[in-house]
Amino acid sequence: MRSLGRSPLCPVLLVMCFSRALSLDLDSMAHPLVLHERDLAGVELLRPRRVAAPSSPAVYEHAVDVEIGFENVSFLESLKAQLHSLSFPIQGNDTDPATDILSIEVTTVCTPTGNEIWCSCEAGYEWPQERCLHNAVCQERAGNPCSCLKGLPPQGPFCQPPTVLTLKMKVRLNVGFQEDLLNTSSALYRSYKTDLERAFREGYRILPGFRSVAVTEFTNGSVVVSYELKTTTLPPGQVQKANERVLQSLNQTYKADESSFQGVNNETKISATPAVIFEGDTVVLECENEVLSSNVSWLYGEGLSNLSTLQNDSRYSIYTAVQLTSVSRLTITNFTQEDEGLYACKLVMDIFEFGNEKYINMTPIQISANETTEVKCDNSPVSLNCCSENKVNWSTIEWKQEGSVSIPGHEDQDLDSGCGRYTLQANGTQCPATVTYTCEFISGHGARGSKTIEVTFIPVGDNSTHKGEVHELLRHTTEGSTVQSATSSSLATQRARELPAKLTITPDPISVSEGQNFSIKCTSNVRNYDEVYWNTSAGIKIHKRFYDTRQHPDGTESVLTVQTSTREWNGTYHCIFRYKNTCHEATKDVTVYPLPLKSNIMIDPLEASGLCTDSHHFRCCVEEDEDYKVMFQMESSFFPAAKEVKGKQVCYKYSSTANSVSQCPKNVDVSCRFTNAANSSVHSSSMKLALVPGENVTCRDPAIGVGEPGKVIQKLCRFSDIPRSPDSTTGGIITYKCVGSQWQEERKGCISAPINGLLRLAEALIKSPSQDQKLPTYLRNLSISTGREEQEIQSSPGSLGAIINILDLLSTVPSHVNPEMMKDVLATVNIILGKSVLGTWEALQQDQTSQGSQLLHSVERFSKALRPGDSTFAFLRHPNVQMGSMVIKPGNSHIYQQNFHFPDADLWGNVTIEKRQLGNLHPEASVVTVAFPTLKAILSQDAQKKPFVNSLVMTTTVSHNITAPFEISMTFKNNHGAGGQIMCVFWNFSLSNHTGGWDSRGCRVNSVDRDSVSCTCDHLTSFSILMSPDSPDRGSLLEILLDIISYIGLGFSILSLAACLVVEAVVWKSVTKNRTSYMRHVCIMNIAASLLFADAWFIVAAAIQEHHYLLNDTACVAATFFIHFFYLSVFFWMLTLGLMLFYRLVFILHDASKSTQKAVAFCLGYGCPLFISVITVAATQPHEVYMRKNACWLNWDDTKALLAFVIPALIIVVVNMTITVVVITKILRPSIGDKPNKQEKNSLFQISKSIGVLTPLLGLTWGFGLATVFQGSNAVFHIIFTLLNAFQGLFILLFGCLWDQKVQEALLNKFMLSRRSSQHSKSTSLGSTTPVFSMSSPISRRFNNLFGKTGTYNVSTPETTSSSVENSSSAYSLLR
């Protein structure tokens, strides 16, 4: 500062605010205007002249700093007094009438203190932050250390008004909300606003630096008042006191809730250093706020809904300082891919929360260099070059070398261009050798990226390694059948003796339109190639899904097939056959003409109703403006379309008149046809128009149409009246229903514009020839857009479903997924599996029940394609999904173990694969496990009527196919209650018509305790645990009781059935003396044999299920088939028995031979069951829904295959019971002329008793069995079913065999005559009518009898027979 005279000056700064209507030259005011005390002598300050300022079209306001110096400090008070007495505005003087002075205030006062000048701010002003940082502070002053500076800054700025904080706040009024509060011009709104602002001002004026408060809006819930508070400082604790004063000042009728004051959405500054982040960098995030508080926290996550708080540790360092502002720094050392995500800082003071967030991405370091090169050892300088493709400021570039010899060189680096060069010279003494050179780029923040160059040093004159070879790949280019070769002379010398390879390619020109298919065939006359692939003209490899290569005796053939061509396929394609360093190439040009795909033609309306007398409007829109000819087709007539262009959208319109349709009511289909320059056409989907007379129409809307009550129509969201930005392309469908006289939204499946755009890109990407190259960028954009649209996803089932469809489409693309891509996939999955989205899942799955299974399948496909790279282990953590992986290395001694913990969901689990199991996997195979804490609820919605899952869901995949037996162990947290059976299950995607379901095959429970459930499975997929409410608890008394009943009953049944067959064989000759008895015992023996085989297969099925054999799937299918077949045979043989009885009694005048009866019986008894069993297994097993998930028996939950047994069995029960009633009634009351003899009557009565007893028993057995299928069935049904089913064999022995009086008599005679059998043996001879196939051995005869074969025997006590009697009485006397 300058000094005048002997005394130091006391500078005073004034700020003058004035307005001017015209332009003002402020060059003279660039620096402060300096006046001194002598300049002011005799000068009278301006007196106000209250003259209205003239109006001006443009008024500018300016502030000018004026510096005044005093030698007498007392003059300052006089100056302040005069300034205080002025009234503003002050009109300008005569020389400048257009300028008005609005205010003059003292801002800064400097006073001499010792040898220094101390400058302090007047009340209401403060030093700017930059002045406090760069100028010496008067430390002796109390209070704010920056209120006083040593010396006045020569160029300013000086003391300024303090920064005003705008605080957004809310408070709730416990009163009813009224619609007038939404109208800013209503009296109620003005009344509320006035009263509230008066109370707010009264309360908040106690805050230091209070400026103003204003109500901004009222929202519903009761009444929520939003307002903005402006103040310069926010002292701790003062806001709470101010809120209390507000409540005291506010009228009690407003009923303000004292606990509802809150600060909302107050932002702060956040920045990151460096701007471009590489792996290994030290990253510093800085958060700065004007509010002075050290209560700052940092959070990290993939989205706003799943942020977790960071703490100081070895990698994260948090430092917060409070000086002029609150500054908090988060330092992340050695930044990696796992650190990518959303970072947020949060400052809390009283009820206010200030925060902001920043998404931090890591950019991969990309270095380009020739990876291999050859150098001759002739002392010639050779340069190795490395360049970074990343445009950043590298700090240095270092070179290293490794090899058997040391060949030094010198380094050069151009950090501006990002390139490094290493120049070396090699002499003959250093060759031959191979040396690896590494160039390493080091950033100023610690990141390092390197590239290796393998250099082969070759002695001078040694060409052995190059004989007949060239450094670059030989390429032969062919168009059609012409082959052009470009070779060096040395190569021509070597290949002269060899037959050159000839490539032929599809000769015809290929010209198609979008949406059409084409194929290119490329054939070589040589079979042996290292690789065959296709390239685009840009050198991009085409995905392998588009071509197929086959070898045949005459050569090799590769066919490129495109099912749906797009404009990206327009160009030249190269078919390349590579063998070692030689490539043969053929090319073909493809022309693709623009034509919209059918799926991209948006139609309006999708469906509508219209009056017959009205005109109707149709439109078809596309997102491109091409020269198409568009016609509308209505029935068989075509009509030209009118074109309308709105931005990127081009619509073609047509309006039909009332006389366009001949009759009414009528349903009309309307479509539009697009024709391009190649004269190719595509039709849109049909627009459905229902023409109605109008008598019952109640709903009318110009955009939706007309409709009768209950009418439901659909409309594209982009053509509906939902709010959206003009340029947005909303997707999805909205459904309206006519209720009363209004159209109401029934289901809103709209997709937000950003997500709809991604869906369209995904649909195009899977048709693109360069989909592999585009996929990483797309996945990154998908994860970012999903994070931004998180709020939309939480409320829109359509947007959620679109993301699931996107992941499903993209998961079919990659053959290899790198960790970066997998991280983006899981970031997207994490958002759509958040707890806040579960309600949207429920709404989505009301119409589409397989979305959860679809998402899980997508993640599995991505996981199977994951290649973690060089790292043996990798792990990704998100709140709603976690992933762990491992690469199987040769000689790896690790076991595979992944632990997952989700504290928010209170779930944990782990997966273990032993070393011996890993040894069976392919080397370099990747094992990946992904765990989900919330997917259990979504999959439970997929299978609402099935046992529910209540645990973590973990899916494990291996990148290569597993050939050897495999076993995986898992442990889940036990969250189940005390009741129910716990099962280990996996998600079987093929169940329920490929919509998926829980399946327990191949899995077993090892142990269950209070905290955990341990499982083992022999395959890989998505696992969890189930609790079935209808199955007995494992180890419970009921389960033990059922097992005991089953094993004891089956034992008795098998023994009884074997005894029945033995008894029948013993008494066969005695009890089959008439045709009726013969057929009866044939049926009984086949019933017993069928049930015996069925019980045997039942034991096999139980063993398979109990011991978990490796081949249990195939064996279980076989067991189920034979159990089904033999149980059906039991019932059909009983039906045969009943029908035979009905036939013998009712059709007494009709007779069939014994052979005919046996043929019919065997066809019915075994043919029908075989037909039903084969049809059942053929219809269900290809979809793997033939059996139950936890038992070798027919499926019920998914396909109701059990009905293929239950329905025939119950029908047979009813038929047999009906026959029994008819037969018994007819025997007791015979008709005139019906005179069956006593023997016939006894046989019929025995048959009736057998059927009457056996059929209800067997029928009731399976009736109770059917009852156990349904959920909630009582344990009594399980017990009754097990008892009756297990003792069936005993019932057949008792009621079907031993209860027969003839059988009892035959057995008694056998035992009584056994002692005298030797005496009568000589008097027994075989009659002359013995058949050719009968044998003398009794065992052989009984074996034949088992299958219904018999002979006619003449014994010592012959029985007279008569053909006439046989004919008149249905031959009942022939056999008995």
Side-chain angles (χ1 to χ4, degrees):
M1 297 293 298
R2 293 173 298 175
S3 61
L4 297 176
R6 295 172 295 178
S7 301
L9 289 173
C10 173
V12 175
L13 274 92
L14 306 178
V15 59
M16 300 178 61
C17 296
F18 61 92
S19 64
R20 184 176 177 84
L22 302 176
S23 60
L24 178 66
D25 184 8
L26 295 179
D27 291 341
S28 61
M29 300 182 185
H31 300 291
L33 176 64
V34 180
L35 300 176
H36 298 284
E37 184 178 1
R38 63 175 178 271
D39 299 328
L40 293 174
V43 177
E44 182 180 1
L45 290 176
L46 292 173
R47 296 296 176 185
R49 292 189 296 174
R50 296 190 174 274
V51 180
S55 61
S56 174
V59 178
Y60 301 93
E61 292 190 0
H62 306 278
V64 178
D65 286 334
V66 179
E67 179 184 342
I68 304 175
F70 303 107
E71 292 184 359
N72 186 356
V73 179
S74 62
F75 185 78
L76 175 61
E77 297 301 321
S78 175
L79 176 64
K80 289 182 179 180
Q82 292 196 48
L83 292 175
H84 185 69
S85 64
L86 296 177
S87 297
F88 297 95
I90 301 175
Q91 188 177 1
N93 55 28
D94 296 336
T95 60
D96 192 5
T99 302
D100 292 340
I101 299 175
L102 303 179
S103 65
I104 303 176
E105 295 183 1
V106 177
T107 63
T108 313
V109 176
C110 300
T111 57
T113 303
N115 295 326
E116 299 175 332
I117 297 293
W118 286 10
C119 298
S120 59
C121 298
E122 289 293 284
Y125 291 88
E126 61 183 18
W127 287 107
Q129 296 179 22
E130 59 267 29
R131 291 297 99 216
C132 296
L133 295 176
H134 297 95
N135 290 67
V137 179
C138 312
Q139 298 293 340
E140 289 79 358
R141 289 288 180 93
N144 185 358
C146 195
S147 62
C148 176
L149 296 181
K150 293 181 179 181
L152 186 67
Q155 302 299 326
F158 309 118
C159 294
Q160 303 293 323
T163 302
V164 177
L165 300 175
T166 300
L167 306 176
K168 298 178 181 179
M169 301 182 66
K170 286 184 178 181
V171 65
R172 186 176 66 253
L173 309 179
N174 292 325
V175 295
F177 186 85
Q178 301 181 50
E179 292 298 322
D180 282 351
L181 291 175
L182 300 176
N183 183 5
T184 57
S185 60
S186 67
L188 183 65
Y189 180 94
R190 293 195 300 269
S191 174
Y192 267 57
K193 180 178 173 67
T194 301
D195 292 346
L196 288 168
E197 287 182 347
R198 183 185 300 111
F200 289 153
R201 283 192 295 271
E202 182 63 23
Y204 294 118
R205 65 184 179 84
I206 67 171
L207 297 177
F210 169 75
R211 289 293 189 267
S212 64
V213 63
V215 173
T216 57
E217 67 173 346
F218 299 96
T219 54
N220 198 345
S222 308
V223 175
V224 177
V225 184
S226 299
Y227 59 100
E228 289 184 352
L229 169 64
K230 294 186 177 182
T231 182
T232 58
T233 59
L234 189 61
Q238 289 294 315
V239 175
Q240 186 63 33
K241 295 180 181 179
N243 291 339
E244 295 174 0
R245 289 174 57 92
V246 169
L247 294 175
Q248 295 172 3
S249 304
L250 189 61
N251 192 309
Q252 296 301 315
T253 57
Y254 286 97
K255 299 180 181 179
D257 189 345
E258 59 180 323
S259 62
S260 64
F261 285 94
Q262 58 176 325
V264 293
N265 299 329
N266 294 294
E267 296 184 352
T268 187
K269 301 176 185 177
I270 189 171
S271 60
T273 305
V276 179
I277 300 171
F278 300 111
E279 185 171 8
D281 271 336
T282 296
V283 179
V284 178
L285 284 85
E286 185 176 278
C287 189
E288 183 178 9
N289 200 299
E290 299 289 341
V291 178
L292 303 181
S293 173
S294 60
N295 187 16
V296 181
S297 58
W298 286 88
L299 303 97
Y300 165 76
E302 290 299 321
L304 290 175
S305 63
N306 50 32
L307 295 175
S308 56
T309 304
L310 296 175
Q311 304 292 338
N312 279 306
D313 58 19
S314 58
R315 297 190 61 246
Y316 296 103
S317 174
I318 300 174
Y319 171 77
T320 302
V322 179
Q323 294 180 349
L324 302 174
T325 58
S326 301
V327 179
S328 182
R329 294 183 180 89
L330 170 65
T331 303
I332 309 171
T333 59
N334 192 23
F335 197 90
T336 64
Q337 289 182 347
E338 293 184 5
D339 296 318
E340 282 190 331
L342 189 68
Y343 289 84
C345 66
K346 183 172 66 175
L347 182 148
V348 178
M349 173 179 281
D350 289 335
I351 63 172
F352 295 97
E353 181 176 300
F354 299 83
N356 207 340
E357 60 275 345
K358 188 176 184 65
Y359 197 92
I360 303 298
N361 295 317
M362 191 193 76
T363 302
I365 299 177
Q366 297 179 340
I367 300 172
S368 59
N370 292 326
E371 298 182 357
T372 59
T373 189
E374 296 177 348
V375 176
K376 289 186 177 181
C377 299
D378 57 359
N379 280 325
S380 297
V382 177
S383 297
L384 307 179
N385 297 296
C386 277
C387 290
S388 168
E389 298 180 8
N390 306 102
K391 302 301 181 182
V392 295
N393 295 324
W394 297 102
S395 63
T396 185
I397 304 174
E398 297 179 353
W399 288 84
K400 301 175 184 177
Q401 61 173 300
E402 293 180 359
S404 56
V405 297
S406 176
I407 303 178
H410 64 87
E411 305 175 12
D412 292 314
Q413 59 184 20
D414 185 355
L415 297 179
D416 293 334
S417 62
C419 289
R421 183 172 64 251
Y422 190 84
T423 306
L424 51 85
Q425 291 176 290
N427 54 45
T429 62
Q430 297 169 318
C431 297
T434 299
V435 180
T436 300
Y437 290 84
T438 302
C439 59
E440 187 174 42
F441 287 70
I442 304 174
S443 75
H445 298 276
R448 292 174 178 265
S450 61
K451 189 78 170 181
T452 59
I453 304 174
E454 184 178 350
V455 181
T456 303
F457 295 90
I458 305 171
V460 178
D462 184 4
N463 295 324
S464 61
T465 60
H466 297 276
K467 188 176 182 180
E469 296 181 11
V470 293
H471 293 302
E472 295 183 354
L473 295 178
L474 175 66
R475 308 183 68 86
H476 299 278
T477 304
T478 304
E479 173 60 35
S481 59
T482 304
V483 180
Q484 300 174 348
S485 301
T487 63
S488 64
S489 59
S490 61
L491 185 62
T493 301
Q494 178 190 1
R495 300 299 183 189
R497 301 185 303 271
E498 299 182 6
L499 179 67
K502 294 183 179 179
L503 267 64
T504 58
I505 200 166
T506 302
D508 299 329
I510 297 178
S511 177
V512 296
S513 296
E514 284 189 276
Q516 297 177 345
N517 60 57
F518 69 87
S519 63
I520 308 174
K521 181 187 291 186
C522 185
T523 306
S524 170
N525 62 338
V526 179
R527 296 185 72 242
N528 296 325
Y529 285 96
D530 292 336
E531 184 182 14
V532 179
Y533 59 94
W534 291 76
N535 270 6
T536 65
S537 56
I540 299 175
K541 271 191 177 182
I542 296 176
H543 197 283
K544 291 183 178 180
R545 71 161 67 188
F546 291 110
Y547 60 88
D548 181 43
T549 302
R550 295 184 298 271
Q551 289 182 336
H552 49 80
D554 298 330
T556 305
E557 177 184 273
S558 184
V559 180
L560 174 69
T561 304
V562 179
Q563 296 296 338
T564 306
S565 58
T566 61
R567 294 182 205 184
E568 288 192 61
W569 288 98
N570 190 64
T572 303
Y573 292 91
H574 303 253
C575 168
I576 302 170
F577 287 71
R578 183 182 67 81
Y579 179 71
K580 293 185 178 179
N581 289 335
T582 303
C583 284
H584 302 275
E585 179 178 321
T587 62
K588 172 59 66 176
D589 291 330
V590 176
T591 303
V592 180
Y593 291 95
L595 186 67
L597 299 179
K598 182 176 181 178
S599 59
N600 292 339
I601 302 175
M602 295 162 288
I603 58 176
D604 182 45
L606 293 176
E607 55 182 344
S609 295
L611 298 178
C612 301
T613 56
D614 289 348
S615 60
H616 309 286
H617 308 285
F618 306 92
R619 55 179 165 175
C620 296
C621 301
V622 293
E623 295 289 335
E624 55 187 10
D625 189 5
E626 296 286 346
D627 188 16
Y628 297 130
K629 179 182 178 182
V630 182
M631 300 287 289
F632 278 83
Q633 180 179 2
M634 178 181 290
E635 296 180 321
S636 59
S637 301
F638 288 87
F639 305 93
K643 184 177 179 181
E644 180 184 63
V645 180
K646 288 185 178 180
K648 297 180 180 180
Q649 180 175 281
V650 180
C651 291
Y652 298 88
K653 297 183 176 182
Y654 166 70
S655 298
S656 67
T657 58
N659 54 9
S660 300
V661 182
S662 57
Q663 62 184 15
C664 184
K666 185 178 183 180
N667 292 326
V668 180
D669 287 348
V670 181
S671 64
C672 52
R673 185 186 66 186
F674 287 73
T675 305
N676 64 1
N679 206 29
S680 297
S681 298
V682 62
H683 282 264
S684 70
S685 301
S686 294
M687 293 170 270
K688 308 292 184 180
L689 175 63
L691 295 175
V692 294
E695 290 85 355
N696 300 322
V697 169
T698 59
C699 296
R700 300 174 186 269
D701 186 274
I704 303 174
V706 301
E708 301 174 351
K711 176 69 175 179
V712 176
I713 67 168
Q714 292 182 329
K715 195 175 184 68
L716 291 179
C717 292
R718 67 175 307 154
F719 296 131
S720 64
D721 55 358
I722 60 172
R724 63 183 185 275
S725 60
D727 297 331
S728 65
T729 307
T730 306
I733 294 175
I734 188 170
T735 304
Y736 295 97
K737 183 175 183 180
C738 179
V739 179
S741 61
Q742 298 291 328
W743 288 105
Q744 295 184 4
E745 288 184 11
E746 188 173 58
R747 185 180 181 274
K748 189 175 181 180
C750 297
I751 306 172
S752 69
I755 296 177
N756 186 54
L758 288 172
L759 178 59
R760 294 172 65 89
L761 288 176
E763 293 169 345
L765 186 144
I766 62 173
K767 302 181 183 74
S768 170
S770 54
Q771 51 189 238
D772 272 340
Q773 289 72 29
K774 294 180 178 180
L775 184 60
T777 302
Y778 183 93
L779 290 175
R780 168 55 57 88
N781 294 335
L782 176 63
S783 65
I784 294 173
S785 297
T786 306
R788 292 173 179 170
E789 295 293 311
E790 185 173 0
Q791 296 295 327
E792 169 70 19
I793 295 170
Q794 292 176 5
S795 59
S796 171
S799 296
L800 174 61
I803 293 179
I804 297 170
N805 291 333
I806 289 172
L807 291 173
D808 184 53
L809 289 172
L810 300 183
S811 65
T812 62
V813 172
S815 54
H816 298 286
V817 173
N818 60 40
E820 185 70 20
M821 296 164 64
M822 195 66 187
K823 185 175 182 179
D824 292 330
V825 171
L826 294 185
T828 302
V829 172
N830 176 64
I831 292 176
I832 64 177
L833 289 182
K835 290 183 179 178
S836 57
V837 190
L838 293 182
T840 311
W841 273 98
E842 185 175 355
L844 174 67
Q845 293 185 303
Q846 289 178 357
D847 296 327
Q848 306 176 52
T849 58
S850 62
Q851 296 283 4
S853 181
Q854 184 180 359
L855 174 63
L856 183 59
H857 206 178
S858 303
V859 175
E860 283 199 11
R861 285 195 290 260
F862 277 116
S863 300
K864 195 167 185 178
L866 176 63
R867 303 295 183 269
D870 296 333
S871 58
T872 303
F873 299 96
F875 203 90
L876 293 174
R877 294 182 183 272
H878 296 281
N880 302 310
V881 62
Q882 294 179 8
M883 186 205 76
S885 66
M886 186 178 81
V887 179
I888 307 301
K889 300 289 186 181
N892 183 14
S893 59
H894 298 286
I895 66 171
Y896 179 79
Q897 185 169 18
Q898 300 291 346
N899 300 302
F900 304 97
H901 183 214
F902 297 90
D904 293 342
D906 192 25
L907 291 173
W908 58 264
N910 61 67
V911 175
T912 303
I913 304 176
E914 299 295 337
K915 288 188 290 186
R916 59 184 177 84
Q917 303 287 343
L918 297 177
N920 296 329
L921 299 180
H922 188 280
E924 301 299 327
S926 302
V927 186
V928 181
T929 301
V930 184
F932 312 88
T934 57
L935 191 60
K936 64 183 187 298
I938 297 168
L939 293 178
S940 295
Q941 294 172 11
D942 276 359
Q944 294 177 1
K945 296 182 180 179
K946 303 175 184 178
F948 58 89
V949 66
N950 188 24
S951 72
L952 207 61
V953 175
M954 297 187 292
T955 178
T956 301
T957 58
V958 175
S959 57
H960 295 73
N961 292 331
I962 301 173
T963 56
F966 196 80
E967 194 171 84
I968 180 173
S969 300
M970 293 157 290
T971 303
F972 300 87
K973 181 181 180 183
N974 188 357
N975 276 352
H976 297 82
Q981 177 192 6
I982 294 178
M983 296 182 292
C984 296
V985 292
F986 72 96
W987 188 258
N988 190 340
F989 294 101
S990 62
L991 295 180
S992 301
N993 294 325
H994 294 278
T995 60
W998 293 112
D999 196 341
S1000 63
R1001 284 175 291 183
C1003 296
R1004 63 180 183 271
V1005 177
N1006 292 333
S1007 62
V1008 179
D1009 56 34
R1010 291 183 57 189
D1011 298 325
S1012 63
V1013 178
S1014 176
C1015 301
T1016 300
C1017 294
D1018 59 10
H1019 51 80
L1020 295 180
T1021 183
S1022 302
F1023 299 98
S1024 188
I1025 54 177
L1026 289 182
M1027 181 178 67
S1028 175
D1030 301 320
S1031 300
D1033 295 338
R1034 182 172 295 274
S1036 66
L1037 179 61
L1038 178 58
E1039 183 186 48
I1040 296 173
L1041 178 61
L1042 294 179
D1043 287 342
I1044 292 174
I1045 295 173
S1046 297
Y1047 290 125
I1048 295 176
L1050 279 176
F1052 273 104
S1053 183
I1054 292 174
L1055 292 176
S1056 300
L1057 292 169
C1060 182
L1061 292 175
V1062 171
V1063 169
E1064 286 288 335
V1066 169
V1067 302
W1068 185 265
K1069 183 172 59 176
S1070 302
V1071 298
T1072 57
K1073 293 181 179 181
N1074 62 47
R1075 192 174 298 178
T1076 304
S1077 295
Y1078 173 78
M1079 291 304 300
R1080 171 183 177 274
H1081 285 281
V1082 167
C1083 292
I1084 290 295
M1085 290 190 69
N1086 281 281
I1087 289 172
S1090 298
L1091 190 54
L1092 178 61
F1093 285 122
D1095 286 344
W1097 276 105
F1098 188 88
I1099 294 174
V1100 173
I1104 293 171
Q1105 183 179 346
E1106 181 67 24
H1107 298 288
H1108 307 279
Y1109 292 128
L1110 292 176
L1111 299 178
N1112 60 352
D1113 281 345
T1114 304
C1116 198
V1117 170
T1120 303
F1121 173 80
F1122 284 113
I1123 293 172
H1124 183 203
F1125 169 70
F1126 283 116
Y1127 275 131
L1128 277 180
S1129 297
V1130 172
F1131 279 95
F1132 274 93
W1133 274 107
M1134 292 191 66
L1135 177 63
T1136 303
L1137 189 61
L1139 293 177
M1140 183 269 296
L1141 175 60
F1142 184 79
Y1143 167 76
R1144 303 302 275 172
L1145 274 181
V1146 176
F1147 300 97
I1148 58 175
L1149 298 179
H1150 183 273
D1151 186 33
S1153 65
K1154 185 192 303 181
S1155 59
T1156 302
Q1157 292 188 37
K1158 285 195 296 183
V1160 173
F1162 276 90
C1163 287
L1164 190 60
Y1166 290 121
C1168 291
L1170 183 63
F1171 177 78
I1172 295 173
S1173 302
V1174 170
I1175 291 297
T1176 304
V1177 70
T1180 57
Q1181 180 56 26
H1183 305 290
E1184 297 185 4
V1185 286
Y1186 177 53
M1187 304 172 298
R1188 298 190 182 192
K1189 306 163 195 169
N1190 56 354
C1192 296
W1193 185 225
L1194 297 174
N1195 190 295
W1196 174 259
D1197 289 332
D1198 303 306
T1199 59
K1200 302 296 186 289
L1202 182 59
L1203 295 177
F1205 172 77
V1206 172
I1207 291 177
L1210 294 182
I1211 291 175
I1212 291 172
V1213 169
V1214 174
V1215 171
N1216 277 1
M1217 290 298 295
T1218 304
I1219 291 174
T1220 302
V1221 174
V1222 172
V1223 170
I1224 293 176
T1225 303
K1226 193 168 184 64
I1227 290 177
L1228 295 178
R1229 296 190 302 174
S1231 302
I1232 298 175
D1234 292 343
K1235 298 180 180 180
N1237 59 35
K1238 183 178 181 181
Q1239 187 180 26
E1240 298 269 352
K1241 191 169 183 177
N1242 288 337
S1243 296
L1244 294 175
F1245 191 67
Q1246 291 297 334
I1247 295 172
S1248 302
K1249 287 194 300 182
S1250 298
I1251 295 177
V1253 172
L1254 284 176
T1255 301
L1257 285 173
L1258 291 174
L1260 287 175
T1261 294
W1262 293 101
F1264 285 110
L1266 182 63
T1268 62
V1269 172
F1270 302 102
Q1271 289 189 355
S1273 58
N1274 196 286
V1276 174
F1277 291 107
H1278 289 271
I1279 296 174
I1280 296 176
F1281 171 69
T1282 305
L1283 279 170
L1284 296 178
N1285 191 42
F1287 288 95
Q1288 283 183 92
L1290 181 60
F1291 296 148
I1292 289 177
L1293 175 65
L1294 294 177
F1295 300 113
C1297 183
L1298 297 181
W1299 201 3
D1300 188 344
Q1301 185 178 358
K1302 295 301 181 182
V1303 173
Q1304 296 172 15
E1305 292 176 357
L1307 287 175
L1308 184 60
N1309 291 333
K1310 278 286 182 182
F1311 287 114
M1312 291 179 63
L1313 298 176
S1314 62
R1315 297 179 181 179
R1316 296 181 291 171
S1317 61
S1318 59
Q1319 300 177 8
H1320 294 278
S1321 60
K1322 294 180 181 181
S1323 63
T1324 305
S1325 63
L1326 184 60
S1328 60
T1329 59
T1330 303
V1332 176
F1333 296 102
S1334 65
M1335 299 181 181
S1336 59
S1337 169
I1339 298 177
S1340 298
R1341 291 198 303 270
R1342 289 162 187 162
F1343 181 81
N1344 287 336
N1345 292 339
L1346 176 63
F1347 295 94
K1349 297 178 180 179
T1350 185
T1352 304
Y1353 298 94
N1354 294 325
V1355 294
S1356 56
T1357 309
E1359 183 178 68
T1360 303
T1361 62
S1362 171
S1363 61
S1364 61
V1365 176
E1366 178 180 342
N1367 291 335
S1368 64
S1369 62
S1370 299
Y1372 288 151
S1373 60
L1374 259 182
L1375 296 172
R1376 187 176 180 185

